mmCIF file of all heavy atoms in Angstrom:
data_model
loop_
_atom_site.group_PDB
_atom_site.id
_atom_site.type_symbol
_atom_site.label_atom_id
_atom_site.label_comp_id
_atom_site.label_asym_id
_atom_site.label_seq_id
_atom_site.Cartn_x
_atom_site.Cartn_y
_atom_site.Cartn_z
ATOM 1 N N ASP A 52 83.959 92.552 201.533
ATOM 2 C CA ASP A 52 84.196 93.890 202.080
ATOM 3 C C ASP A 52 85.671 94.152 202.365
ATOM 4 O O ASP A 52 86.153 95.274 202.216
ATOM 5 C CB ASP A 52 83.391 94.084 203.371
ATOM 6 C CG ASP A 52 81.897 94.176 203.113
ATOM 7 O OD1 ASP A 52 81.506 94.358 201.942
ATOM 8 O OD2 ASP A 52 81.117 94.059 204.081
ATOM 9 N N HIS A 53 86.394 93.126 202.801
ATOM 10 C CA HIS A 53 87.777 93.317 203.239
ATOM 11 C C HIS A 53 88.779 93.316 202.079
ATOM 12 O O HIS A 53 89.983 93.372 202.296
ATOM 13 C CB HIS A 53 88.171 92.223 204.241
ATOM 14 C CG HIS A 53 88.103 90.835 203.669
ATOM 15 N ND1 HIS A 53 86.975 90.051 203.769
ATOM 16 C CD2 HIS A 53 89.011 90.093 202.973
ATOM 17 C CE1 HIS A 53 87.202 88.890 203.170
ATOM 18 N NE2 HIS A 53 88.423 88.891 202.678
ATOM 19 N N THR A 54 88.294 93.270 200.845
ATOM 20 C CA THR A 54 89.183 93.230 199.686
ATOM 21 C C THR A 54 90.071 94.476 199.642
ATOM 22 O O THR A 54 89.557 95.591 199.727
ATOM 23 C CB THR A 54 88.365 93.158 198.385
ATOM 24 O OG1 THR A 54 87.526 92.002 198.429
ATOM 25 C CG2 THR A 54 89.273 93.088 197.171
ATOM 26 N N PRO A 55 91.385 94.333 199.502
ATOM 27 C CA PRO A 55 92.254 95.514 199.386
ATOM 28 C C PRO A 55 91.899 96.322 198.145
ATOM 29 O O PRO A 55 91.719 95.766 197.054
ATOM 30 C CB PRO A 55 93.662 94.918 199.262
ATOM 31 C CG PRO A 55 93.549 93.536 199.830
ATOM 32 C CD PRO A 55 92.158 93.073 199.510
ATOM 33 N N GLN A 56 91.809 97.638 198.303
ATOM 34 C CA GLN A 56 91.341 98.508 197.227
ATOM 35 C C GLN A 56 92.508 98.959 196.351
ATOM 36 O O GLN A 56 93.035 100.057 196.515
ATOM 37 C CB GLN A 56 90.641 99.729 197.815
ATOM 38 C CG GLN A 56 89.464 99.392 198.716
ATOM 39 C CD GLN A 56 88.228 99.018 197.926
ATOM 40 O OE1 GLN A 56 88.019 97.860 197.617
ATOM 41 N NE2 GLN A 56 87.436 99.986 197.593
ATOM 42 N N THR A 57 92.921 98.151 195.409
ATOM 43 C CA THR A 57 93.996 98.530 194.498
ATOM 44 C C THR A 57 93.522 98.408 193.058
ATOM 45 O O THR A 57 92.508 97.764 192.762
ATOM 46 C CB THR A 57 95.255 97.663 194.676
ATOM 47 O OG1 THR A 57 95.098 96.442 193.950
ATOM 48 C CG2 THR A 57 95.551 97.368 196.137
ATOM 49 N N ALA A 58 94.286 99.012 192.148
ATOM 50 C CA ALA A 58 93.950 98.950 190.723
ATOM 51 C C ALA A 58 93.981 97.526 190.193
ATOM 52 O O ALA A 58 93.315 97.206 189.203
ATOM 53 C CB ALA A 58 94.916 99.831 189.929
ATOM 54 N N ALA A 59 94.739 96.643 190.847
ATOM 55 C CA ALA A 59 94.879 95.272 190.370
ATOM 56 C C ALA A 59 93.584 94.477 190.459
ATOM 57 O O ALA A 59 93.445 93.445 189.790
ATOM 58 C CB ALA A 59 95.977 94.556 191.159
ATOM 59 N N LEU A 60 92.636 94.944 191.277
ATOM 60 C CA LEU A 60 91.331 94.281 191.331
ATOM 61 C C LEU A 60 90.718 94.150 189.948
ATOM 62 O O LEU A 60 89.983 93.199 189.658
ATOM 63 C CB LEU A 60 90.374 95.098 192.204
ATOM 64 C CG LEU A 60 90.586 95.134 193.714
ATOM 65 C CD1 LEU A 60 89.587 96.080 194.337
ATOM 66 C CD2 LEU A 60 90.462 93.754 194.316
ATOM 67 N N PHE A 61 91.023 95.120 189.087
ATOM 68 C CA PHE A 61 90.321 95.220 187.817
ATOM 69 C C PHE A 61 91.172 94.758 186.632
ATOM 70 O O PHE A 61 90.755 94.908 185.483
ATOM 71 C CB PHE A 61 89.852 96.665 187.622
ATOM 72 C CG PHE A 61 89.154 97.206 188.844
ATOM 73 C CD1 PHE A 61 89.662 98.296 189.544
ATOM 74 C CD2 PHE A 61 88.004 96.608 189.323
ATOM 75 C CE1 PHE A 61 89.035 98.779 190.677
ATOM 76 C CE2 PHE A 61 87.367 97.072 190.461
ATOM 77 C CZ PHE A 61 87.878 98.169 191.145
ATOM 78 N N HIS A 62 92.328 94.172 186.913
ATOM 79 C CA HIS A 62 93.149 93.639 185.824
ATOM 80 C C HIS A 62 92.415 92.580 184.994
ATOM 81 O O HIS A 62 92.628 92.503 183.773
ATOM 82 C CB HIS A 62 94.452 93.063 186.382
ATOM 83 C CG HIS A 62 95.427 94.116 186.824
ATOM 84 N ND1 HIS A 62 96.611 93.831 187.474
ATOM 85 C CD2 HIS A 62 95.399 95.473 186.708
ATOM 86 C CE1 HIS A 62 97.259 94.954 187.734
ATOM 87 N NE2 HIS A 62 96.538 95.956 187.286
ATOM 88 N N PRO A 63 91.537 91.770 185.606
ATOM 89 C CA PRO A 63 90.857 90.741 184.792
ATOM 90 C C PRO A 63 89.727 91.294 183.914
ATOM 91 O O PRO A 63 89.098 90.528 183.189
ATOM 92 C CB PRO A 63 90.289 89.774 185.848
ATOM 93 C CG PRO A 63 90.964 90.115 187.129
ATOM 94 C CD PRO A 63 91.280 91.558 187.043
ATOM 95 N N ILE A 64 89.450 92.598 184.000
ATOM 96 C CA ILE A 64 88.281 93.175 183.325
ATOM 97 C C ILE A 64 88.734 94.072 182.185
ATOM 98 O O ILE A 64 89.509 95.019 182.391
ATOM 99 C CB ILE A 64 87.421 93.983 184.322
ATOM 100 C CG1 ILE A 64 87.003 93.086 185.496
ATOM 101 C CG2 ILE A 64 86.198 94.563 183.625
ATOM 102 C CD1 ILE A 64 86.513 93.846 186.701
ATOM 103 N N SER A 65 88.263 93.799 180.993
ATOM 104 C CA SER A 65 88.563 94.619 179.814
ATOM 105 C C SER A 65 87.304 95.365 179.390
ATOM 106 O O SER A 65 86.196 94.811 179.427
ATOM 107 C CB SER A 65 89.047 93.751 178.648
ATOM 108 O OG SER A 65 90.225 93.050 178.997
ATOM 109 N N ILE A 66 87.473 96.616 178.983
ATOM 110 C CA ILE A 66 86.350 97.459 178.566
ATOM 111 C C ILE A 66 86.518 97.809 177.091
ATOM 112 O O ILE A 66 87.593 98.249 176.663
ATOM 113 C CB ILE A 66 86.273 98.740 179.413
ATOM 114 C CG1 ILE A 66 86.076 98.397 180.889
ATOM 115 C CG2 ILE A 66 85.151 99.653 178.923
ATOM 116 C CD1 ILE A 66 86.195 99.574 181.824
ATOM 117 N N ARG A 67 85.449 97.622 176.331
ATOM 118 C CA ARG A 67 85.456 97.977 174.916
ATOM 119 C C ARG A 67 84.336 98.974 174.649
ATOM 120 O O ARG A 67 83.164 98.700 174.930
ATOM 121 C CB ARG A 67 85.269 96.731 174.041
ATOM 122 C CG ARG A 67 86.403 95.719 174.158
ATOM 123 C CD ARG A 67 86.124 94.470 173.332
ATOM 124 N NE ARG A 67 87.200 93.496 173.466
ATOM 125 C CZ ARG A 67 87.151 92.263 172.966
ATOM 126 N NH1 ARG A 67 86.070 91.874 172.288
ATOM 127 N NH2 ARG A 67 88.166 91.429 173.124
ATOM 128 N N ALA A 68 84.700 100.137 174.136
ATOM 129 C CA ALA A 68 83.716 101.164 173.787
ATOM 130 C C ALA A 68 84.291 101.996 172.652
ATOM 131 O O ALA A 68 85.386 102.558 172.781
ATOM 132 C CB ALA A 68 83.404 102.048 174.992
ATOM 133 N N SER A 69 83.586 102.077 171.564
ATOM 134 C CA SER A 69 84.084 102.786 170.389
ATOM 135 C C SER A 69 84.235 104.279 170.687
ATOM 136 O O SER A 69 83.360 104.890 171.312
ATOM 137 C CB SER A 69 83.119 102.600 169.217
ATOM 138 O OG SER A 69 82.985 101.239 168.884
ATOM 139 N N LYS A 70 85.341 104.850 170.227
ATOM 140 C CA LYS A 70 85.549 106.285 170.386
ATOM 141 C C LYS A 70 84.439 107.042 169.673
ATOM 142 O O LYS A 70 84.082 106.730 168.534
ATOM 143 C CB LYS A 70 86.902 106.689 169.795
ATOM 144 C CG LYS A 70 87.308 108.116 170.109
ATOM 145 C CD LYS A 70 87.624 108.302 171.583
ATOM 146 C CE LYS A 70 88.192 109.688 171.871
ATOM 147 N NZ LYS A 70 88.462 109.895 173.305
ATOM 148 N N GLY A 71 83.871 108.017 170.369
ATOM 149 C CA GLY A 71 82.784 108.794 169.789
ATOM 150 C C GLY A 71 81.404 108.308 170.157
ATOM 151 O O GLY A 71 80.401 108.923 169.781
ATOM 152 N N CYS A 72 81.329 107.200 170.919
ATOM 153 C CA CYS A 72 80.017 106.775 171.408
ATOM 154 C C CYS A 72 79.727 107.478 172.731
ATOM 155 O O CYS A 72 80.583 108.165 173.306
ATOM 156 C CB CYS A 72 79.931 105.257 171.549
ATOM 157 S SG CYS A 72 80.744 104.569 173.008
ATOM 158 N N LEU A 73 78.523 107.307 173.221
ATOM 159 C CA LEU A 73 78.075 108.022 174.416
ATOM 160 C C LEU A 73 78.951 107.753 175.625
ATOM 161 O O LEU A 73 79.146 108.636 176.468
ATOM 162 C CB LEU A 73 76.626 107.622 174.711
ATOM 163 C CG LEU A 73 75.897 108.404 175.804
ATOM 164 C CD1 LEU A 73 75.676 109.847 175.375
ATOM 165 C CD2 LEU A 73 74.554 107.737 176.121
ATOM 166 N N VAL A 74 79.506 106.548 175.740
ATOM 167 C CA VAL A 74 80.275 106.173 176.924
ATOM 168 C C VAL A 74 81.788 106.247 176.683
ATOM 169 O O VAL A 74 82.573 105.812 177.527
ATOM 170 C CB VAL A 74 79.871 104.773 177.434
ATOM 171 C CG1 VAL A 74 78.395 104.754 177.815
ATOM 172 C CG2 VAL A 74 80.167 103.693 176.401
ATOM 173 N N ASN A 75 82.190 106.798 175.548
ATOM 174 C CA ASN A 75 83.606 107.071 175.268
ATOM 175 C C ASN A 75 83.661 108.271 174.336
ATOM 176 O O ASN A 75 84.117 108.194 173.199
ATOM 177 C CB ASN A 75 84.293 105.858 174.632
ATOM 178 C CG ASN A 75 85.793 106.062 174.457
ATOM 179 O OD1 ASN A 75 86.385 107.016 174.969
ATOM 180 N ND2 ASN A 75 86.429 105.159 173.723
ATOM 181 N N SER A 76 83.187 109.394 174.850
ATOM 182 C CA SER A 76 82.975 110.569 174.009
ATOM 183 C C SER A 76 84.301 111.214 173.613
ATOM 184 O O SER A 76 85.320 111.060 174.283
ATOM 185 C CB SER A 76 82.093 111.587 174.733
ATOM 186 O OG SER A 76 82.617 111.901 176.007
ATOM 187 N N GLY A 77 84.256 111.945 172.515
ATOM 188 C CA GLY A 77 85.438 112.615 172.002
ATOM 189 C C GLY A 77 85.734 113.904 172.743
ATOM 190 O O GLY A 77 84.850 114.515 173.367
ATOM 191 N N GLU A 78 86.981 114.330 172.681
ATOM 192 C CA GLU A 78 87.400 115.546 173.368
ATOM 193 C C GLU A 78 86.599 116.748 172.873
ATOM 194 O O GLU A 78 86.313 116.875 171.686
ATOM 195 C CB GLU A 78 88.895 115.777 173.155
ATOM 196 C CG GLU A 78 89.756 114.721 173.823
ATOM 197 C CD GLU A 78 91.239 115.045 173.734
ATOM 198 O OE1 GLU A 78 91.574 116.232 173.607
ATOM 199 O OE2 GLU A 78 92.044 114.112 173.787
ATOM 200 N N GLY A 79 86.244 117.610 173.823
ATOM 201 C CA GLY A 79 85.470 118.801 173.505
ATOM 202 C C GLY A 79 83.985 118.637 173.724
ATOM 203 O O GLY A 79 83.243 119.631 173.750
ATOM 204 N N ALA A 80 83.511 117.392 173.878
ATOM 205 C CA ALA A 80 82.086 117.161 174.114
ATOM 206 C C ALA A 80 81.695 117.650 175.508
ATOM 207 O O ALA A 80 82.487 117.601 176.451
ATOM 208 C CB ALA A 80 81.764 115.675 173.980
ATOM 209 N N ALA A 81 80.472 118.120 175.632
ATOM 210 C CA ALA A 81 79.944 118.514 176.940
ATOM 211 C C ALA A 81 79.721 117.259 177.788
ATOM 212 O O ALA A 81 79.108 116.298 177.315
ATOM 213 C CB ALA A 81 78.643 119.282 176.767
ATOM 214 N N VAL A 82 80.212 117.282 179.043
ATOM 215 C CA VAL A 82 80.220 116.055 179.852
ATOM 216 C C VAL A 82 79.712 116.249 181.280
ATOM 217 O O VAL A 82 79.818 115.338 182.094
ATOM 218 C CB VAL A 82 81.647 115.458 179.915
ATOM 219 C CG1 VAL A 82 82.137 115.063 178.538
ATOM 220 C CG2 VAL A 82 82.635 116.436 180.575
ATOM 221 N N ALA A 83 79.158 117.424 181.597
ATOM 222 C CA ALA A 83 78.804 117.697 182.998
ATOM 223 C C ALA A 83 77.915 116.617 183.591
ATOM 224 O O ALA A 83 78.080 116.220 184.752
ATOM 225 C CB ALA A 83 78.121 119.059 183.114
ATOM 226 N N ALA A 84 76.956 116.116 182.801
ATOM 227 C CA ALA A 84 76.029 115.110 183.321
ATOM 228 C C ALA A 84 76.500 113.684 183.075
ATOM 229 O O ALA A 84 75.920 112.745 183.622
ATOM 230 C CB ALA A 84 74.641 115.299 182.705
ATOM 231 N N GLY A 85 77.538 113.508 182.255
ATOM 232 C CA GLY A 85 78.049 112.157 182.040
ATOM 233 C C GLY A 85 78.535 111.537 183.331
ATOM 234 O O GLY A 85 78.316 110.351 183.607
ATOM 235 N N ASN A 86 79.177 112.349 184.136
ATOM 236 C CA ASN A 86 79.730 111.904 185.412
ATOM 237 C C ASN A 86 78.652 111.547 186.423
ATOM 238 O O ASN A 86 78.826 110.642 187.241
ATOM 239 C CB ASN A 86 80.622 113.020 185.963
ATOM 240 C CG ASN A 86 81.333 112.665 187.235
ATOM 241 O OD1 ASN A 86 82.111 111.735 187.269
ATOM 242 N ND2 ASN A 86 81.063 113.410 188.293
ATOM 243 N N VAL A 87 77.522 112.255 186.367
ATOM 244 C CA VAL A 87 76.519 112.117 187.421
ATOM 245 C C VAL A 87 75.256 111.372 186.989
ATOM 246 O O VAL A 87 74.564 110.781 187.834
ATOM 247 C CB VAL A 87 76.127 113.508 187.980
ATOM 248 C CG1 VAL A 87 77.280 114.103 188.759
ATOM 249 C CG2 VAL A 87 75.704 114.464 186.855
#
């Protein structure tokens, strides 16, 4: 719980998602529900 909340927490984590897939959609796509 006491971990300092900085961006560096996530330096060890890499994310791979192909452009144009559901979780890395292209510009112009409808996204209202992607966030929620």
Side-chain angles (χ1 to χ4, degrees):
D52 290 346
H53 61 268
T54 302
Q56 302 282 90
T57 82
L60 289 176
F61 312 118
H62 287 174
I64 303 163
S65 300
I66 300 171
R67 296 177 181 173
S69 300
K70 189 69 173 178
C72 78
L73 188 67
V74 299
N75 186 10
S76 54
E78 293 186 25
V82 298
N86 184 61
V87 291

